Amino acid sequence: MTHILAIDQGTTSSRAILFDADMRMTSSAQEEFEQHFPASGWVEHEAPDLWQTTLTTCRAAIEKSNVAPSDIKGIGITNQRETVVVWEKETGRPIHRAIVWQDRRTSGICQDLRAEGYEEQVTKKTGLLLDPYFSGTKLKWILDNVEGSRERARRGELLFGTVDTWLIWNLTGGRSHVTDATNACRTLLYDIHKGRWSTTIAGMLDIPMEMLPEIRDTAADFGMTDADLLGHEIPILGVAGDQQAATIGQACFEPGMLKSTYGTGCFALLNTGDTPVTSSHRLLTTIAYQFEGKPTYALEGSIFVAGAVVQWLRDGLKIIGKASETQSLAEQADAGQDLVLVPAFTGLGAPYWNADCRGAVYGLTRNSGPAEFAKAALESVGYQTRDLLEAMQADWASGEEPETLRVDGGMSASDWAMQFLSDIIGAKVDRPEMLETTAVGAAWLAGMRAGLYPDQAGFAKRWKIDRTFEPAMDDAGRDAKYDRWKRAVEATMGV
């Protein structure tokens, strides 16, 4: 048994990657699925699409590799976080489409709860803010709007899960209704200090405790797959939300280490060790990973739109055919134009947390075209990252500026974007050889649990840099550009 299967279930696609005993990729498969936008600010998935594309890609990756299913020692799962699925325990049928983490329909619920004075209590227990981003208010919305669902949940007929729980339930034929601490801590229902579901917050949202899954460590026994699904029974041994899996995959195991992942959104996590740091700058206190019942905490800043802004250039404006074209366009942009794009398509995340503002472009001229839009889109990701890092620096006890930021995710492949990122934050940016660190993190969790892969120290030694980007912009230029960004954000939130 020499391989580990990593499942990476994301916002726009599902992937499966096989890793060998040396943690090298053996084969992979990926499949996109449809996004649903039934109203402004609403984002939904068909939950069966998440499961079927996961199953299909797992089978395809195994078939491509010529690895026998019996040679797979374990499965690691990483997933889009905060997305909500509610299904019937008896039939496995979802009672509503999955409500995606990007969805903003519950902003009114959050405003009402804030007005009633609940946010301080919620933040103290969960480390989170009252924002539509998190699972709890999405789950409340489903129970409020699907007739009879709350009563059915109280009778034990309905189950709730984030995507990891939904996949495990299907993989195990309904035998395991479980999650891990990194996904639980993103639901708005989990007390990160006591390590259990909060009956207080569940009561506040009128969510029956009967429908919540059992919580386990990040590396644990989550159940055994049905033999007929993948050709052999395989244990599920590791689970982590995508950003925590990327933190693990980047080997950010020491307090003060910092990573930023550029996928559909952008998420920066700062390891704070065994101390949950309360943010004064509207960052989130979260769990980076949990082994043997002991959580390691992190400060997290969440940007809703990173890679999604490039998708908008491709699918919305149709000025590019593929994402890689943005780099060459940015290089061609008129240096005399300084467009600022604030991509608040679904509001702004940290450190602003404004659910109601929408995107804007500043500095347009008659000559503004695809090249200038591409440059502004890539720059917007760098600006938003600096927003996060400045907030983290202010909250982190050391008060020291980060010397290095480790990056991963699709957009980190762009040399232009990473050089601008280094320029605007004034720090080194390290890009690893393996950009798919989310899947690597999930694989390591399962492989470490199975005894196939090394411990944390051994894994950290294997981490290798592909390229380091160093700041080439002077302080005056950096600060002038960032000041223009801050004024643009202020104007956008004021509309």
Side-chain angles (χ1 to χ4, degrees), residues 6 20 57 257:
D20 66 13
T57 53
M257 294 187 74

Side-chain angles (χ1 to χ4, degrees), residues 123-190:
T123 300
K124 185 176 180 179
K125 288 181 179 292
T126 70
L128 309 178
L129 303 170
L130 277 173
D131 188 87
Y133 176 29
F134 307 108
S135 311
T137 57
K138 294 177 170 65
L139 176 53
K140 174 178 169 56
W141 187 94
I142 291 176
L143 296 177
D144 286 346
N145 287 274
V146 177
E147 187 175 354
S149 59
R150 187 170 275 107
E151 291 71 24
R152 293 185 68 195
R154 289 195 179 103
R155 293 196 300 267
E157 297 174 12
L158 300 181
L159 301 178
F160 154 75
T162 43
V163 172
D164 59 307
T165 303
W166 169 243
L167 296 182
I168 294 168
W169 194 87
N170 281 284
L171 284 165
T172 61
R175 293 186 299 276
S176 292
H177 182 222
V178 295
T179 189
D180 91 295
T182 69
N183 279 290
C185 75
R186 310 297 297 187
T187 61
L188 208 74
L189 301 169
Y190 184 71

